[in-house]
Amino acid sequence: MANTFYIVRHGQTNWNILGKTQGHGNSDLTAKGEEQATCLGEALKEYPIDYIYSSDLGRAIQTANLIGEKIGVKVKETPALREMGFGVWEGLLIDEIKQDYLETYNTWRNEPHLVNIEGGETLHLIKDRLEVFIKELNEKYNDKHILLVSHSVTVRVLLLAFLNSGMENIYRIKQDNTALNIVEYRDYGPVIIKMNDTSHIKNNEKINNSALE
């Protein structure tokens, strides 16, 4: 068996609660988000994590560092795990996006693989950079356990890529804050062992007020 990847979305942020689109913009973790990350760190003690790679955006770094402190592994930052850039939508609420960019928003909701947000990235660009990154890790390491801390859209794109599924299926995968996904690379390719596991979170309250969900 080759590498095993533990793929995690960052903890709850202030913008998550407000329903603001984050993308490359950033918002700090809430107290709840910090608690989620700490609880996940405790849960990950049962796994032999060798490396932690994190998106270089603040909310992911905060999450990764809290986990790293629990399991005694240093964090390596990389832009490869960044969230999708949402251009002119960054920092906006859903109602604001609908008001000023309704046609593009409708494409995002109904044909997300075709959306082209002004100043932003496409799902296919995210997929391309993730596939390059995973290929580099698999060439660099063998039989290692690697934690990847990233973001909602990015994680879903990665899981779809593992499944050889089209980006039009982005809404068929749910990713809650600090959700854990486990993927094992085998001789015949990646196998998803666990998806969107939030059993480590105490008093879990899920929110769905983002344009990204």
Side-chain angles (χ1 to χ4, degrees), residues 8-12 30-44 63 67 175-180 196-207:
V8 170
R9 182 188 177 191
H10 62 78
Q12 183 191 80
T30 61
K32 178 66 176 177
E34 292 177 350
E35 178 187 7
Q36 291 169 338
T38 299
C39 289
L40 178 56
E42 287 287 347
L44 286 171
T63 302
I67 294 170
Q175 285 297 297
D176 294 303
N177 291 116
T178 66
L180 174 63
N196 199 38
D197 179 15
T198 57
S199 59
H200 55 277
I201 302 176
K202 302 172 183 176
N203 303 317
N204 195 17
E205 295 180 6
K206 300 177 181 179
I207 54 175

Side-chain angles (χ1 to χ4, degrees), residues 21 23-24 29 36 46 52 66 73 114 127 133 173:
T21 304
H24 287 178
L29 298 186
Q36 291 169 338
E46 69 177 272
I52 299 177
L66 287 167
V73 179
L114 300 179
K127 179 176 180 285
F133 180 61
I173 293 178

